[in-house]
């Protein structure tokens, strides 16, 4: 294969991976930034999104494009509702204490995985892609669905960004992030903002799960990898910095694609982990995080 | 993060289990009971099923468990083992080698079973087998790995119900090089099971004038495969793929997108497609390709009386799906191993006059003395020979072609095609 084709393939693979990663990590970063809690169950929301997408597509049937569109709407909503329940029944009861939240969400990982194992089953299940489209490049073909999913992820990221920066609700979230007490003094219902942020974070993971399900499959253990990569991205970008998360997702995603294509996927993971270690040593607050004053 | 948490949980349990095990062993010793079982002549034979109920092997585990239950019901309905009923105790090992060793320990110390069987994934077998040897617990695996016949395990470990990878690939290599092509790219999982394929198929194809153009080891956690395909050189005639794990549909789809209509021919292993409907979206690219099966998924591929009767007993329809749910596809090329293994255990217990744990050595020797399993309802996959020194059975293989979402058997190998020079002799080890 010619070098140009090879490089193009590497960049395509990297960009698609980066877009999905950015969407997933954005939710984790948002939850940490505003609520100052680490949600270990974030990857399971990704998995639930994919599984619910399968359920929606299977129960409704019909043309793949229609059932996929339905899944794209219902899965994030259903997962957001589950996240609201988690917030109300668990997080609020442990008063969002960081340690207790980590333990509680570790427990949730097992609860979600086993609940899906008992209902959905242990098999990997495919969802038909909304359309079939093979894009031909010189020397190789590439999945048009993958390109479309990268585009959809970018649109969703932009939408979230606009919501955070241009709307009243986004302002309330940012105010709560900067100083919860002062925000409350100005009449922002911090408790409701927390619930909303947690649900939004979960919905972002879920929608990423829906987007990947036509190119991967739904499986009850699929949440582990996205969680690990999201943590890597959030740490490199700086805890709580959304801009940092997005930059880091693209750095990690594209370098992962290029290293994996030209060398080996294992080397790509080694490089990402090494980068985390170096960032933690040289700049513990991450690339865009603010150092504690 | 997942790894950290599960490691922590498993670590604690392991210590706890060892403590309990030690305490129980101590208590038994103090009581001065010879062995730990008191048998009446009609007391049940206790058989432990070590099953992958959770973890990456769960899709297989579910069918291993239901097939084993069907075999136990069948044996018990026909007089049990030497007049004694089988009592099957099931423990989940989470497809985790560390947990697997604990499960073997639990079977010995807590459930006090006579034998343990049913382990599938090679890393779990390799993690559990040494403990079975230490505990002198007969351990019958249904795994396919070459680890039993290689001599790497111990005298208490047997694989009498399913063939190993080395004989599978040795017996099929002539058909692949003769019918599909001699320039072959191999794609296999980056762990022991994949290395068995790599080593033994490369060797077998090499002897037949085949050329391996590239070896692609795929890490087990991989979810996207396109990045590997540029390494397949132009001029490759056959892609030999064996992938285990949930990624197979992605793999096939991306293969199709990458190569389009003019790509190399495909030869795959059913391992990737067990419990997967061949009509699943994304598998279209497999149409016309060839796949190894240990036991044909579709009933017309092996319409023998015993295979059809077995199919009915385990509740599988003519299309390889559950009778109760046509969308629930069985792991038909593996699960017969549980059925056949239980029948080997039955034959060995009856031949040795085994009564309880004190007779374990007699039981081991009785299995080692076996040489042949004729085709019957006890061995529905077909006739097998058994090498008592290797602790491994030898049997026929099937090559099938995908046609309209179905598998059609096009070639059946003979037992002799898969024979290889033995590398081990377990009978020289002390009991």
């Amino acid at each position: 294969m010619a070098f140009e084709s090879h490089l193009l393939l590497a960049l395509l693979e990297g960009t698609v991976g980066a877009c999905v990663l950015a969407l997933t990590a954005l939710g984790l970063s948002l939850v940490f930034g505003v609520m100052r809690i680490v949600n270990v169950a974030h990857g399971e929301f990704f998995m639930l999104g994919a599984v619910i997408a399968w359920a929606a597509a299977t129960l409704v049937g019909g043309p793949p494009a229609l059932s996929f569109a339905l899944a794209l709407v219902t899965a994030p909503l259903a997962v957001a509702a589950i996240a609201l329940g988690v917030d109300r029944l668990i997080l609020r009861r442990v008063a969002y204490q960081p340690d207790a939240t980590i333990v509680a969400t570790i427990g949730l990982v097992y609860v979600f995985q086993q609940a899906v194992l008992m209902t959905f089953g242990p098999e990997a299940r495919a969802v038909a892609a909304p359309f079939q489209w093979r894009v031909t490049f010189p020397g190789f073909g590439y999945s048009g669905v993958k390109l479309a999913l990268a585009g959809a992820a970018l649109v969703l990221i932009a939408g979230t960004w606009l919501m955070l920066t241009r709307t009243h609700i986004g302002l309330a979230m940012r105010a709560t992030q900067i100083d919860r007490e002062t925000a409350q003094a100005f009449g922002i219902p911090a408790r409701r903002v927390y619930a909303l942020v947690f649900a939004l974070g979960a919905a972002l993971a879920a929608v990423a799960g829906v987007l990947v399900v036509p190119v991967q499959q739904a499986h009850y253990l699929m949440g582990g990898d996205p969680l690990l990569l999201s943590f890597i991205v959030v740490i490199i970008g700086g805890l709580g910095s959304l801009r940092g998360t997005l930059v880091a997702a693209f750095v990690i995603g594209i370098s992962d694609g290029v290293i994996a294509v030209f060398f080996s996927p294992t080397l790509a993971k080694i490089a990402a982990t090494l980068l985390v270690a170096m960032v933690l040593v040289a700049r513990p607050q991450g690339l865009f995080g603010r150092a504690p004053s | 993060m997942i790894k950290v948490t599960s490691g922590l949980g498993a670590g604690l349990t392991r210590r706890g289990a060892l403590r309990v095990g030690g305490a129980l062993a101590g208590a038994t010793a103090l009581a001065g009971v010879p062995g730990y079982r008191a048998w009446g002549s009609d007391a049940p034979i206790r058989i432990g099923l070590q099953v992958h109920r959770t973890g990456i092997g769960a899709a297989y585990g579910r069918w291993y468990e239901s097939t084993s239950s069907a075999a136990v019901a069948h044996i018990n309905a026909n007089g049990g083992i030497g007049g004694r009923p089988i009592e099957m105790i099931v423990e989940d090992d989470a497809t985790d080698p560390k947990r697997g060793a604990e499960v073997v320990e639990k079977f010995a110390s807590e459930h006090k079973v006579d034998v343990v069987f049913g382990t599938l994934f090679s890393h779990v077998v390799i993690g559990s087998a040494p403990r079975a040897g230490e505990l002198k617990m007969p351990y019958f695996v249904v795994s396919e790995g070459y680890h039993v016949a290689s001599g790497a395990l111990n005298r208490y470990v047997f694989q009498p119900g399913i063939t190993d990878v080395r004989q599978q690939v040795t017996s099929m290599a002539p058909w692949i090089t003769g019918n599909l092509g001699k320039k072959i790219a191999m794609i296999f999982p980056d762990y022991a099971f994949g290395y068995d394929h790599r080593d033994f198929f490369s060797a077998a194809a090499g002897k037949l004038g085949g050329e391996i153009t590239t070896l692609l080891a795929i890490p087990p956690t991989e979810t996207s495969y396109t990045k590997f395909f540029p390494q397949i050189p132009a001029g490759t005639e056959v892609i030999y793929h064996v992938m285990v794990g949930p990624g197979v549909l992605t793999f096939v789809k991306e293969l199709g997108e990458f190569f389009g209509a003019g790509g190399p021919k495909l030869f795959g292993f059913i391992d990737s497609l067990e419990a997967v409907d061949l009509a699943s979206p994304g598998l279209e690219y497999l149409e016309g390709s060839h796949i190894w099966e240990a036991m044909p998924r579709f009933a017309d591929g092996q319409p023998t009386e015993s295979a059809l009767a077995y199919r009915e007993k385990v509740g599988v329809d003519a299309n390889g799906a559950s009778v109760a749910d046509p969308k629930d596809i069985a792991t038909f090329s593996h699960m017969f191993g549980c059925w056949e293994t239980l029948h080997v255990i039955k034959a060995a217990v009856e031949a040795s006059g085994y009564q309880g744990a004190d007779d374990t050595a007699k039981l081991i020797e009785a299995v080692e003395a076996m040489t042949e399993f004729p085709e019957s309802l006890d061995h529905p996959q077909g006739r097998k020979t058994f090498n008592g020194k290797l602790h491994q059975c030898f049997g026929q293989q099937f090559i099938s072609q995908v046609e309209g979402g179905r598998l059609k058997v096009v070639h059946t190998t003979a037992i002799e095609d898969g024979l290889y020079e033995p590398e081990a002799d377990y009978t020289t080890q002390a009991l």
Side-chain angles (χ1 to χ4, degrees):
Chain A
M1 189 184 233
F3 177 78
E4 295 77 22
S5 302
H6 211 151
L7 184 65
L8 180 62
L9 175 70
L11 291 174
L12 284 173
E13 278 288 285
T15 309
V16 170
C19 291
V20 176
L21 180 57
L23 194 59
T24 316
L26 189 62
L28 190 70
S29 180
L30 192 65
V31 167
F32 180 84
V34 176
M35 301 167 74
R36 299 278 145 189
I37 60 165
V38 174
N39 176 20
V40 183
H42 192 69
E44 304 316 311
F45 289 135
F46 177 89
M47 178 274 286
L48 285 173
V51 167
I52 293 171
W54 175 85
T58 312
L59 292 180
V60 177
L66 195 69
S67 56
F68 185 75
L70 181 77
L72 209 49
V73 177
T74 51
L77 285 178
V79 172
I82 294 171
L84 280 179
V86 168
D87 176 72
R88 175 64 65 90
L89 296 174
I90 300 168
L91 300 186
R92 200 179 282 188
R93 310 225 166 187
V94 298
Y96 303 100
Q97 289 166 15
D99 309 358
T101 314
I102 289 177
V103 176
T105 50
I106 287 174
L108 280 174
V109 168
Y110 292 108
V111 171
F112 287 140
Q113 280 181 2
Q114 298 306 312
V116 171
L117 176 63
M118 284 191 290
T119 49
F120 171 82
E123 295 85 11
R125 295 178 199 264
V127 173
F131 55 87
Q132 302 289 340
W133 178 34
R134 177 172 181 264
V135 189
T136 336
F137 292 99
F140 68 99
Y142 200 75
S143 161
V145 175
K146 273 191 179 180
L147 297 177
L149 93 84
L154 287 176
V155 168
L156 285 163
I157 291 168
T160 310
W161 190 266
L162 285 177
M163 189 212 73
L164 284 171
T165 50
R166 299 288 160 85
T167 65
H168 188 74
I169 191 92
L171 181 68
M173 287 179 185
R174 284 183 291 135
T176 314
Q177 171 173 6
I178 293 163
D179 187 337
R180 185 183 168 185
E181 272 78 30
T182 313
Q184 266 180 313
F186 277 87
I188 290 172
R191 191 177 270 190
R192 220 180 285 166
V193 169
Y194 271 24
L196 199 67
V197 165
F198 196 68
L200 178 64
L204 285 171
V207 81
V210 178
L211 287 177
V212 300
V213 85
V215 292
Q216 294 185 14
Q217 300 104 51
H219 185 249
Y220 81 108
L221 295 175
M222 72 190 290
D225 264 15
L227 178 73
L228 197 67
L229 279 172
S230 296
F231 269 117
I232 287 177
V233 161
V234 169
I235 290 170
I236 291 179
L239 285 169
S241 160
L242 295 184
R243 188 184 306 144
T245 300
L246 294 178
V247 170
F250 280 89
V251 169
I252 290 292
I254 293 179
S255 67
D256 187 274
V258 172
I259 297 173
V261 169
F262 282 101
F263 301 98
S264 90
T266 310
L267 189 67
K269 297 284 179 293
I270 293 173
T273 318
L274 194 66
L275 189 59
V276 171
M278 290 194 309
V279 165
L280 284 179
V281 169
R283 206 177 147 80
Q285 71 272 30
L287 295 179
F288 290 81
R290 272 174 303 161
S293 45
Chain B
M1 286 310 282
I2 302 289
K3 280 190 185 140
V4 172
T5 54
S6 69
L8 184 65
L12 290 171
T13 333
R14 181 187 174 84
R15 248 171 255 147
L18 284 174
R19 234 175 262 141
V20 172
L24 280 172
T28 317
L30 282 176
V33 183
Y36 32 69
R37 284 159 269 197
W39 293 112
S41 60
D42 55 354
I45 293 271
R46 292 167 67 80
I47 295 182
L49 171 60
Q50 180 186 345
V51 69
H52 309 323
R53 243 184 208 162
T54 53
I56 197 80
Y60 278 97
R62 202 161 57 84
W63 282 99
Y64 267 41
E65 191 172 340
S66 70
T67 307
S68 302
S69 301
V72 167
H74 172 71
I75 293 172
N76 283 347
N78 290 286
I81 298 183
R84 293 165 62 182
I86 299 175
E87 187 183 337
M88 189 170 81
I89 299 106
V90 184
E91 282 283 347
D92 174 24
D93 63 17
T95 329
D96 174 36
K98 214 160 40 158
R99 179 68 194 147
E102 289 165 14
V103 163
V104 170
E105 181 117 15
K106 191 173 177 189
F107 275 132
S109 59
E110 193 179 320
H111 298 307
K112 302 195 186 331
V113 300
D114 296 281
V115 302
V116 176
F117 87 110
T119 323
L120 167 63
F121 272 55
S122 55
H123 62 307
V124 186
V125 169
I126 290 165
S128 311
R131 196 74 194 106
E134 286 160 16
L135 293 164
K136 298 189 182 300
M137 172 63 74
Y139 188 55
F140 295 83
V141 302
V142 187
S143 162
E144 290 192 327
Y146 180 62
H147 32 260
V148 179
S150 70
L153 303 179
N154 59 68
R155 194 161 179 191
Y156 289 84
V157 186
F158 293 92
Q159 187 156 252
I162 196 161
T163 60
D164 65 276
V165 167
R166 185 171 182 185
Q167 60 174 300
Q168 290 168 4
V169 303
T170 306
S171 67
M172 290 183 299
W175 191 90
I176 296 171
T177 52
N179 292 279
L180 298 181
K182 287 198 171 10
K183 291 190 172 161
I184 303 163
M186 292 187 71
I187 302 180
F188 52 89
D190 195 5
Y191 52 87
F193 173 74
Y195 305 154
D196 283 352
H197 275 273
R198 177 193 65 194
D199 298 342
F200 298 124
F201 183 77
S202 306
K207 276 186 199 158
L208 297 159
E211 181 200 339
I212 306 299
T213 58
T214 182
L215 294 168
L216 291 177
I218 313 259
T221 52
E222 203 52 63
T223 51
S224 166
Y225 305 91
T226 305
K227 51 179 161 266
F228 296 97
F229 300 146
Q231 295 178 42
I232 298 174
T236 297
E237 294 165 342
V238 185
I239 294 179
Y240 173 110
H241 62 100
V242 49
M243 303 277 309
V244 175
V248 60
L249 295 168
T250 314
F251 173 75
V252 171
K253 193 154 47 176
E254 294 188 353
L255 207 56
E257 280 155 354
F258 188 86
F259 286 107
K265 291 179 181 155
L266 302 181
F267 186 89
F269 280 74
I270 194 77
D271 304 70
S272 327
L273 296 159
E274 287 280 64
V276 175
D277 191 342
L278 285 166
S280 297
L283 287 185
E284 298 82 4
Y285 194 65
L286 283 182
E287 185 69 20
S289 77
H290 291 88
I291 288 179
W292 162 81
E293 293 190 279
M295 189 169 189
R297 176 182 290 187
F298 292 87
D300 51 10
Q302 193 187 19
T304 60
E305 194 184 324
S306 49
L308 294 173
Y310 156 79
R311 192 179 279 266
E312 190 194 327
K313 296 267 181 208
V314 294
V316 172
D317 68 15
N319 297 321
S322 163
V323 171
D325 176 5
K327 289 213 172 299
D328 182 8
I329 309 295
T331 59
F332 208 69
S333 267
H334 290 80
M335 59 199 242
F336 70 86
C338 294
W339 177 279
E340 297 203 2
T341 300
L342 277 167
H343 283 90
V344 171
I345 294 171
K346 169 181 151 71
V349 167
E350 289 172 350
S352 64
Y354 176 92
Q355 288 297 313
D358 294 341
D359 299 331
T360 296
K362 280 201 277 180
L363 181 71
I364 298 292
E365 285 164 352
V367 184
E368 286 171 348
M370 293 177 166
T371 55
E372 169 113 10
F373 308 133
E375 183 187 338
S376 63
L377 185 51
D378 294 359
H379 297 278
Q381 189 266 349
R383 182 179 84 89
K384 288 181 189 63
T385 60
F386 185 74
N387 185 328
K389 291 180 177 172
L390 297 181
H391 287 194
Q392 175 64 50
C393 71
F394 292 81
Q396 62 183 346
Q397 315 295 337
F398 300 86
I399 295 173
S400 303
Q401 188 166 25
V402 183
E403 269 186 22
R406 293 172 60 86
L407 287 164
K408 183 168 177 260
V409 175
V410 294
H411 179 70
T412 306
T413 70
I415 294 178
E416 295 67 34
D417 299 343
L419 295 180
Y420 46 77
E421 203 57 41
E423 291 185 313
D425 183 359
Y426 285 113
T427 59
T428 59
Q429 295 181 5
L431 275 164

